[in-house]
Amino acid sequence: MLPAVAVSQSPEEKFREYLMSRPKQQRFTGQQRDMVRYIFQKHNHFDADQLIDEMKKDGYDVSRATVYRTLKKLVDAGLLRKLDIGPRKYFEHDYGYPQHEHLYCVICHKMIEFQHPGLEGIMRNVCQQHNFLEQGHSFIIRGTCAECNRAKMTKRRLDLV
Amino acid sequence: MLPAVAVSQSPEEKFREYLMSRPKQQRFTGQQRDMVRYIFQKHNHFDADQLIDEMKKDGYDVSRATVYRTLKKLVDAGLLRKLDIGPRKYFEHDYGYPQHEHLYCVICHKMIEFQHPGLEGIMRNVCQQHNFLEQGHSFIIRGTCAECNRAKMTKRRLDLV
DNA sequence: ATTCTTGCAAAGCCTTTGCAACTGC
DNA sequence: GCAGTTGCAAAGGCTTTGCAAGAAT
């Protein structure tokens, strides 16, 4: 987990502002407020289903359709980032959280965040070269994490006995 | 389009070899041969649907289910790479084609390939730091390509008249 | 002959949507 | 009270699968 980025507004305020400023005015409802608070109270990666399960387990009354609709708005508002990993769509904090990339463990499905000082320059470079206007990017390295590697090695050793 | 990488076998041969070497022996059928030849005769990015359409247009008799099944084998065999771009799954040559990353134009859906000498080192670095064993990666920069940017600018100029 | 592959259509999975009831402003 | 939101269930897109018929070895 990386250090947070200082922001002047709470996610909730920022979302209200986004809703107000649309060409077509949108409303800030109780369920949306619950979702924003719930999501920004912890830091992790989640997909729609996980969020629904967790929120229900914690006593919130959320409907699948509304969660999908609200997640879309949150991405649009710049509060969340969407990640495509294989067939699943994950979400993670964007507002108040630094830009980063991911290592994705194909065994335990853990996501490890990383930053690298050279990346930004490379991207700027490449885009310039192709006259390309970046809107966003995703850089995901797939493989096996330290723990799972250890487990595999232990297992291999046991198999040899 | 990048320069090809020299390989000793034809894609077809390499696929046969893969099929033979499985724990459970698999067969090389006419439809699979058609697909391998068709796919490796041109270089481009495609999804299952596009491939089916194009092959049908060119007079081949392919069924959706078999195309999906064969594409999966081709990825497994190391002939194709799979890309997740938003909701779509694209395929591209892996065998005989160099490692590269993508710029994806959100307007015209063009995919531009690029390579950058610094990337490999960064990845090796990051993986080492986390004791992570890489199996593959995807680096996709989303945005608007040179042509679409030009078109937008022209349009803006016209709108101002 | 045996075993794998094919094609169909049905089922799956995840996400979106039409619509009537509801609620924020 | 108006306009946007909700929840349901139904529809969507894309992919996978069960099964009987067909093909490869």
Side-chain angles (χ1 to χ4, degrees), chain A residues 4-22:
Chain A
V5 166
V7 286
S8 54
Q9 293 172 299
S10 71
E12 200 174 321
E13 284 165 346
K14 167 129 173 145
F15 190 45
R16 285 194 97 107
E17 191 181 284
Y18 159 85
L19 291 172
M20 298 310 182
S21 70
R22 296 286 83 190

Side-chain angles (χ1 to χ4, degrees), chain A residues 16 25 27-29 48 64-65 68-69 72 89:
Chain A
R16 285 194 97 107
Q25 176 142 330
R27 281 162 197 177
F28 187 59
T29 66
R64 188 164 299 275
Y68 276 103
R69 285 190 274 234
K72 179 177 276 180
K89 279 112 188 52

